[in-house]
């Protein structure tokens, strides 16, 4: 549980920040090579190096059996990036222009204007990334082969579910099928309960207008 909370909090924070920064940079109208960079990023959504080349990269970087091997791969989701960039492009230019008149630079505009009025999109991104990290087990299984103490809850849950099902199928096993099912269901509930508790706190942002009160008529 401690590992899962760490991976979820650190990973989601980095995911949201980097996705927002990249989306903001490529949503500006006068950015050099904006279209080629966007196409290059979008290309990776359909074609990627695959499992083995990615594993070799992680190994050559010395990240095997390290927490960063779970956090760093896939820091920016292309799908979420496209959603965030589209949202930034929909924000009226009047906000940026008025900020520039007051002497604000790009960092100030990003942190103090675009991020506050993007609470809805940021909440959605946080939920998407958070659930992905909380339920993620593949990276841990591939990149933490000798560090069981670093396993997230999802990987332990997978082992419990598989072992209980296998035990129930073996002849002479102490577990009956009903007991195996009870273990699986209880494990799944325990692992998903924190996310279910988090959802109501983020739901309030889904229905709020992102631009309410941001531009005066």
């Amino acid at each position: 549980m401690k590992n899962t909370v760490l991976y979820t909090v650190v990973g989601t924070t980095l995911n949201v920040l980097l996705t927002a920064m990249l989306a903001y940079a490529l949503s500006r109208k006068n950015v050099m090579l904006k279209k080629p960079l966007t196409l290059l990023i979008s290309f990776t959504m359909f074609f990627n190096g695959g499992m083995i080349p990615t594993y070799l990269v992680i190994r050559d970087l010395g990240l095997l059996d390290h927490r960063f091997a779970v956090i760093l791969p896939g820091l920016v989701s292309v799908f979420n990036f496209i959603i965030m960039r589209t949202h930034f492009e929909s924000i009226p230019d009047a906000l940026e222009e008025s900020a520039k008149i007051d002497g604000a630079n790009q960092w100030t505009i990003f942190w103090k204007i675009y991020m506050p009025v993007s609470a809805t999109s940021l909440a959605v991104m946080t939920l998407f990334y958070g659930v992905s990290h909380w339920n993620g087990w593949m990276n841990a299984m591939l990149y933490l082969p000798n560090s069981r103490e670093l396993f997230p809850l999802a990987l332990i849950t997978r082992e419990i579910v598989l072992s209980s099902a296998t035990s129930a199928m073996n002849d002479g096993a102490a577990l009956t099928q009903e007991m195996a099912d009870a273990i699986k269901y209880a494990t799944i509930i325990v692992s998903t309960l924190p996310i279910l508790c988090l959802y109501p706190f983020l739901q309030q942002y889904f229905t709020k207008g992102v631009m309410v009160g941001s531009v005066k008529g």
Side-chain angles (χ1 to χ4, degrees):
M1 182 68 74
K2 180 183 68 175
N3 292 329
T4 303
V5 172
L6 177 63
Y7 297 147
T8 302
V9 173
V10 176
T12 302
T13 302
L14 293 176
N15 289 142
V16 174
L17 286 178
L18 292 179
T19 301
M21 289 179 181
L22 180 61
Y24 175 78
L26 293 181
S27 66
R28 303 302 87 202
K29 295 181 179 180
N30 299 323
V31 174
M32 185 180 300
L33 302 177
K34 175 182 176 179
K35 290 185 177 179
L37 288 174
T38 303
L39 290 175
L40 182 63
I41 294 172
S42 301
F43 180 82
T44 63
M45 185 167 59
F46 304 100
F47 303 96
N48 55 66
M51 182 184 298
I52 295 177
T54 304
Y55 177 86
L56 295 177
V57 171
I58 296 296
R59 184 199 63 183
D60 293 342
L61 291 175
L63 294 178
L64 289 181
D65 295 311
H66 197 284
R67 295 187 191 275
F68 282 120
V70 179
I71 297 174
L72 292 182
L75 272 180
V76 176
S77 167
V78 179
F79 178 77
N80 293 337
F81 153 74
I82 294 174
I83 293 176
M84 203 70 190
R85 187 203 61 179
T86 304
H87 166 74
F88 282 151
E89 290 178 343
S90 67
I91 296 177
D93 295 336
L95 287 175
E96 182 177 357
E97 293 172 359
S98 60
K100 288 182 177 179
I101 293 175
D102 292 335
N105 55 26
Q106 290 296 334
W107 278 108
T108 303
I109 295 173
F110 173 71
W111 284 111
K112 295 188 177 182
I113 297 178
Y114 274 69
M115 293 293 277
V117 302
S118 303
T120 304
S121 297
L122 292 175
V124 174
M125 295 297 105
T126 300
L127 186 62
F128 285 172
Y129 281 124
V131 171
S132 176
H133 281 290
W134 188 271
N135 295 330
W137 57 270
M138 178 64 75
N139 286 348
M141 186 181 69
L142 293 176
Y143 308 137
L144 304 176
N146 303 315
S147 301
R148 186 176 179 82
E149 69 277 3
L150 301 180
F151 280 6
L153 180 62
L155 188 55
I156 300 298
T157 302
R158 176 179 179 272
E159 292 182 351
I160 293 174
V161 171
L162 293 178
S163 62
S164 61
T166 303
S167 299
M169 293 174 59
N170 292 335
D171 293 334
L175 289 177
T176 63
Q177 186 61 47
E178 291 76 11
M179 294 173 61
D181 290 340
I183 292 175
K184 289 189 291 185
Y185 300 150
T187 305
I188 292 172
I189 289 298
V190 170
S191 62
T192 57
L193 190 59
I195 292 297
L196 294 178
C197 295
L198 178 64
Y199 179 78
F201 295 99
L202 296 177
Q203 186 182 16
Q204 59 179 323
Y205 294 100
F206 296 165
T207 56
K208 287 184 177 180
V210 65
M211 294 305 300
V212 173
S214 61
V215 180
K216 295 182 179 179

